Amino acid sequence: MKKILFLVITLCYYSQVNAQTDLQKAEALIKKMTIEEKVGQMTQVTLAVIAKGGWGNQDGALDAAALKKAIIDYKVGSVLNTTAHALSVDTWREVITQIQDETKNTKLKIPVIYGLDGIHGQTYTLNSTLFPHSIGMAATRNPEMAAAIAKVTAKELRASGVRWNFAPVLDIGRQPLWSRFPETYGEDVYIGKTMGAAVIKAYEEDGLKNPTAVASCMKHYLGYSASRTGKDRTPTYMPEIEMREYYLPQFREAVKAGASTIMINSGEINGEPVHASKYLLTDVLRKELGFQGLIVTDWEDIKRLHDRHNVAATPRQAVVMAINAGIDMSMVPSDFSFYDLLLEAVKKGEVPMSRIDDAVKRILVLKYKVGLFDNPYPEESAKNNFGKAEYQTLALDAAHEAMTLLKNQDNVLPLSKNVKVLVAGPSAQSISALNGCWSYTWQGKEEQWYPADSKTILQAIIDKLGGNNVITTTGKGFDNPLNYDATKLGASGVDAIILCVGENAYAESPGNTRELALPDEQLALAKAAAATGKPVILVLTEGRPRFITGIEPSMKGILMAYWSGKKTAEAIADVLFGDYNPDGKLPFTYPRSMGEIVLYDRKPTEEIREVFNDNISNGYDPLFPFGHGLSYTTFEYSDVLLSSPSLSSSSKLTINITVKNSGSRDGKNTVELYTRDLYASITPSMKRLRAFQKISLKAGESRKVTFTLDKNDLAFVNAQLKTVTEAGEFELMIGDKKAKFIYK
Ligand code: BGC
């Protein structure tokens, strides 16, 4: 024990010393820099600016004159993104090498830092391994697995020469209309904090000089996901008490976990664009949360202070506002206007040199930290970490654990392998509808860029049953008209219909939707399938809950598959035919309809529905509740034992519970601990998730699961915006078991 402690202290000491050295080096370098060089470092452009043919570029070839202009004339410090689609590992390495070569022609030879969005695996490298989106990872309730995936993502980025990942998204998914819902960890604060911190540590913990690590970027600070309309980048109105209770904790935790960078919300809160908010960027993020790293804007967001948000009368004023609020680097990204305007603003004294030096210091520290000054080129050893066979296994494990069985009437599932099935619906022969956004292209819709061995659901089912036992009414691609012909479903001679519906891939604004109900033509398919009298299994491949309330009663089985990456199809088939016992749990509330959107951590007045002369407790009445997820086995909870009837500010409460696999199959179960504060100065939630543990139990096996709570686990934000734990009685809930304790 002592040895471990000594080692930890020594490591902390040395990482501290290293950080200081990076800082000292950065400070020394800044002294040699001209104002132009400094402003250049703060400028980030997109690859199209330096690629031959701009956005239309297909092969990663750079335009020598454009590259020179960017690096020599404008001294840009950072490049991001791809052009039309993902590039090969070798092409990326060539792109980065050429950029770094050009930096050698500058006076100070400051390397460029390249950033990409590796959102669910490395998005923009061909044949990278894609994993479930965060919404599916939240369903796994498996932070260790999320961490393992982050490590693979880091390796595949780094193999491609890239040391900065624009992930993870820490926005909370409390607005199911939001087009970026699939990129979130769902509606719960604790899951978001736990998953986010695990992933950030995994990206960075090897030490950023190591070719197995990348700098992470927590995003999008703050309140992005809470837009009123649910449309991308539209206004959020949010009282600070709500912001601090539900939206800020994930970022606070991520700062503690050591995130190196942060990206800002393109939207506005209470009428103030976040990019112009000195309060949020400097007072809260820097001073209160103690964040020391780099603050980068999102896409074009400084310009937009002028031309979309209309809070800056001129483009220069927009630059002045953002930099003075605390922005360090501008994702301009399509021209050099930011450079010219910032230079002008500094010369006019509108932005103090101290602010510029502060920003540049943070940029240079990051570049030192990721080892770019030691070697700016893609490391030879990093390349070997690309595309290992074990990543495919991890992708399958993760897709398995994401699968969430929502309904299994009369134990219709698993299906026997001796049946004949009809496979129908638009996602049956779509790859993009299984992977979603950020998959080899931004929108993820262009299937020609996916790995050749990607499987469709139809193919994965044929692999199980043999071609003679599977018929289909579908054609290739989500939008294929064949997929929507409801008249074809009456095929006789099948034992069941597997109906694959949901959403095709989308990202950001193209994912805005006017309607959360599943589209009419898909609902019509489901009705036609049910009308055949055959058992219908509904498979949902979607990034957010699309209402299925009208068809749910006539579906025998419903499997939520999310967008679970490369192995989605295989995982679906494994669950449907019993080769995997599902264990995913919904990370959000699956609502019935637009008028029934109540979140699980509802307040008492949402729980108790007022009706004339009476009140009934069914205010939370979703189609499927948060935390729901069936298994092919059964789990029983018993013997909740508390170490004490009370908890004080200095003590801890230990809770033991026995979990038994009382069914006949081995399986995994996530044990979730919720608490409820019975009375408090701010209306308490009916329940809040405080801890979870995922365990694996053989049929018949029992295990004791132990949780520990302290006062911080029970805290909330009070009317004075302080996080407090108030004395009083609490209820604790684990499955169907409850217990009470006092906090004093
Ligand atoms: C998105 C960010 C992303 C950036 C760079 C923006 O449109 O909002 O999440 O990191 O583009 O690709």
Side-chain angles (χ1 to χ4, degrees):
M1 192 63 209
K2 269 188 187 157
K3 270 189 192 157
I4 294 175
L5 202 66
F6 176 73
L7 198 68
V8 169
I9 293 170
T10 317
L11 282 174
C12 289
Y13 172 77
Y14 279 110
S15 67
Q16 197 69 21
V17 166
N18 265 334
Q20 273 174 11
T21 326
D22 290 341
L23 179 61
Q24 284 162 354
K25 286 184 200 157
E27 282 169 349
L29 186 53
I30 288 174
K31 294 205 178 102
K32 299 184 195 152
M33 292 170 77
T34 62
I35 171 69
E36 287 79 7
E37 283 161 341
K38 292 176 183 175
V39 167
Q41 283 302 310
M42 295 169 70
T43 304
Q44 185 185 52
V45 295
T46 192
L47 181 60
V49 169
I50 55 170
K52 269 188 195 150
W55 280 109
N57 179 285
Q58 299 287 327
D59 60 2
L62 299 186
D63 176 325
L67 178 62
K68 220 176 181 58
K69 183 172 170 190
I71 304 294
I72 308 293
D73 300 347
Y74 286 96
K75 303 157 184 57
V76 304
S78 181
V79 182
L80 85 151
N81 210 13
T82 187
T83 48
H85 51 75
L87 303 170
S88 70
V89 178
D90 288 333
T91 305
W92 273 123
R93 295 172 69 91
E94 185 54 32
V95 166
I96 312 276
T97 301
Q98 283 183 41
I99 294 172
Q100 305 298 19
D101 277 348
E102 194 62 53
T103 66
K104 299 287 182 197
N105 300 325
T106 63
K107 184 186 92 201
L108 294 171
K109 304 181 180 23
I110 301 176
V112 155
I113 182 156
Y114 207 106
L116 281 181
D117 296 275
I119 302 292
H120 62 128
Q122 166 37 8
T123 301
Y124 289 135
T125 304
L126 294 171
N127 292 311
S128 68
T129 312
L130 294 186
F131 299 92
H133 274 275
S134 292
I135 198 71
M137 288 313 299
T140 71
R141 302 289 202 273
N142 190 338
E144 292 79 23
M145 183 176 265
I149 288 170
K151 287 200 183 282
V152 172
T153 309
K155 286 179 190 163
E156 296 209 324
L157 273 157
R158 196 84 180 217
S160 314
V162 176
R163 303 186 191 190
W164 188 10
N165 190 16
F166 300 138
V169 169
L170 298 179
D171 303 302
I172 192 167
R174 294 174 80 81
Q175 161 56 293
L177 265 173
W178 193 45
S179 61
R180 304 192 74 168
F181 191 88
E183 296 176 58
T184 75
Y185 291 113
E187 78 190 42
D188 177 62
V189 178
Y190 179 75
I191 294 180
K193 282 199 312 195
T194 311
M195 287 288 184
V199 159
I200 285 165
K201 280 190 196 138
Y203 282 135
E204 304 211 8
E205 73 192 349
D206 290 353
L208 297 180
K209 290 196 172 60
N210 194 312
T212 57
V214 288
S216 65
C217 184
M218 33 182 185
K219 68 189 194 183
H220 307 77
Y221 179 85
L222 185 73
Y224 186 19
S225 57
S227 86
R228 266 195 180 168
T229 62
K231 302 271 187 294
D232 189 32
R233 292 166 157 84
T234 58
T236 291
Y237 284 88
M238 195 191 299
E240 188 150 347
I241 190 169
E242 183 184 10
M243 174 188 109
R244 288 179 173 275
E245 183 68 48
Y246 300 100
Y247 293 80
L248 192 61
Q250 301 80 332
F251 288 93
R252 196 187 290 278
E253 200 72 18
V255 170
K256 283 196 219 145
S260 288
T261 76
I262 192 164
M263 191 184 290
I264 304 307
N265 164 18
S266 303
E268 55 185 68
I269 303 184
N270 304 334
E272 185 182 46
V274 183
H275 284 78
S277 174
K278 193 165 191 176
Y279 174 65
L280 288 177
L281 301 188
T282 298
D283 299 345
V284 178
L285 180 59
R286 288 275 186 236
K287 296 186 185 153
E288 185 184 323
L289 269 54
F291 178 62
Q292 296 292 327
L294 165 66
I295 304 181
V296 64
T297 73
D298 201 347
W299 194 265
E300 240 176 33
D301 279 324
I302 296 187
K303 286 182 182 189
R304 290 179 185 186
L305 294 178
H306 168 64
D307 61 26
R308 287 204 186 169
H309 294 289
N310 303 154
V311 292
T314 64
R316 193 177 81 232
Q317 198 190 341
V319 169
V320 172
M321 269 183 169
I323 302 304
N324 285 340
I327 296 290
D328 300 319
M329 182 184 278
S330 170
M331 191 187 288
V332 191
S334 309
D335 58 41
F336 304 102
S337 55
F338 169 79
Y339 173 97
D340 292 326
L341 294 166
L342 181 55
L343 208 54
E344 211 179 309
V346 175
K347 287 182 179 159
K348 285 183 186 294
E350 293 166 345
V351 176
M353 262 322 281
S354 55
R355 180 70 267 280
I356 300 290
D357 284 346
D358 178 55
V360 175
K361 178 188 76 189
R362 295 177 199 278
I363 295 165
L364 295 177
V365 165
L366 179 68
K367 291 186 176 185
Y368 279 111
K369 238 170 107 177
V370 298
L372 282 167
F373 282 95
D374 306 326
N375 169 25
Y377 296 104
E379 301 100 338
E380 217 26 68
S381 62
K383 200 175 163 183
N384 303 330
N385 289 330
F386 190 84
K388 292 195 171 165
E390 69 217 44
Y391 304 166
Q392 299 290 314
T393 311
L394 181 59
L396 181 60
D397 290 347
H400 276 152
E401 292 205 16
M403 293 298 127
T404 307
L405 184 59
L406 298 179
K407 182 174 180 182
N408 194 12
Q409 196 179 336
D410 306 327
N411 292 324
V412 64
L413 294 173
L415 295 168
S416 132
K417 286 183 194 155
N418 298 321
V419 294
K420 201 165 177 179
V421 297
L422 168 68
V423 179
S427 20
Q429 291 202 65
S430 167
I431 302 291
S432 57
L434 309 186
N435 285 274
C437 50
W438 304 108
S439 300
Y440 309 108
T441 59
W442 173 44
Q443 293 295 310
K445 271 192 176 165
E446 295 174 36
E447 297 199 350
Q448 72 267 35
W449 304 112
Y450 283 78
D453 61 348
S454 302
K455 280 198 183 154
T456 63
I457 301 175
L458 176 66
Q459 187 57 52
I461 292 175
I462 290 175
D463 289 352
K464 293 274 180 221
L465 304 187
N468 292 337
N469 295 318
V470 182
I471 54 174
T472 188
T473 54
T474 65
K476 279 195 173 23
F478 193 89
D479 297 325
N480 193 322
L482 287 176
N483 300 340
Y484 300 96
D485 188 350
T487 61
K488 297 269 164 61
L489 297 177
S492 57
V494 298
D495 300 294
I497 299 177
I498 297 170
L499 186 62
C500 310
V501 299
E503 299 183 312
N504 199 1
Y506 54 79
E508 302 184 43
S509 298
N512 287 343
T513 184
R514 296 195 161 137
E515 182 53 87
L516 264 185
L518 202 63
D520 287 346
E521 61 273 29
Q522 296 195 42
L523 294 173
L525 276 179
K527 285 178 191 153
T532 64
K534 306 283 179 197
V536 183
I537 315 299
L538 194 70
V539 175
L540 298 166
T541 63
E542 56 188 19
R544 56 193 158 192
R546 301 294 300 251
F547 306 143
I548 50 167
T549 308
I551 56 170
E552 179 272 328
S554 54
M555 301 292 112
K556 281 275 188 188
I558 303 178
L559 177 65
M560 176 56 149
Y562 314 94
W563 288 336
S564 289
K566 172 75 183 295
K567 297 289 185 182
T568 310
E570 290 89 329
I572 290 170
D574 284 348
V575 169
L576 295 182
F577 296 96
D579 291 329
Y580 187 80
N581 183 4
D583 50 73
K585 284 191 181 276
L586 273 182
F588 53 80
T589 296
Y590 207 117
R592 286 184 186 278
S593 63
M594 224 49 222
E596 282 294 346
I597 297 187
V598 179
L599 302 178
Y600 94 90
D601 49 11
R602 60 215 181 258
K603 295 297 184 88
T605 47
E606 291 176 291
E607 169 79 4
I608 299 162
R609 196 155 283 192
E610 273 195 357
V611 290
F612 188 63
N613 278 344
D614 208 352
N615 287 332
I616 37 175
S617 288
N618 72 346
Y620 183 62
D621 187 27
L623 192 60
F624 301 108
F626 174 87
H628 176 69
L630 304 170
S631 167
Y632 295 150
T633 189
T634 46
F635 296 97
E636 277 169 20
Y637 295 177
S638 59
D639 307 331
V640 199
L641 285 175
L642 275 56
S643 57
S644 157
S646 66
L647 172 68
S648 72
S649 62
S650 56
S651 69
K652 286 188 193 299
L653 185 68
T654 303
I655 301 111
N656 283 312
I657 185 155
T658 303
V659 182
K660 178 171 187 200
N661 179 345
S662 50
S664 54
R665 283 197 61 149
D666 301 350
K668 292 181 185 156
N669 180 241
T670 300
V671 188
E672 297 192 318
L673 185 154
Y674 296 86
T675 64
R676 176 180 170 199
D677 193 347
L678 297 192
Y679 297 94
S681 63
I682 291 294
T683 55
S685 288
M686 294 303 297
K687 62 199 293 204
R688 288 291 295 266
L689 182 63
R690 302 304 188 187
F692 58 78
Q693 274 181 49
K694 189 166 192 171
I695 56 168
S696 192
L697 289 178
K698 298 239 175 279
E701 190 185 346
S702 291
R703 177 148 355 133
K704 197 169 76 178
V705 173
T706 304
F707 295 101
T708 310
L709 294 182
D710 65 27
K711 72 163 190 179
N712 298 322
D713 297 311
L714 308 172
F716 64 93
V717 178
N718 73 6
Q720 288 72 45
L721 305 180
K722 295 273 172 285
T723 301
V724 297
T725 309
E726 288 176 353
E729 200 174 6
F730 286 80
E731 187 172 46
L732 184 148
M733 294 155 264
I734 305 177
D736 56 348
K737 297 289 171 277
K738 292 183 176 176
K740 285 194 176 156
F741 66 92
I742 309 273
Y743 175 72
K744 49 185 180 187

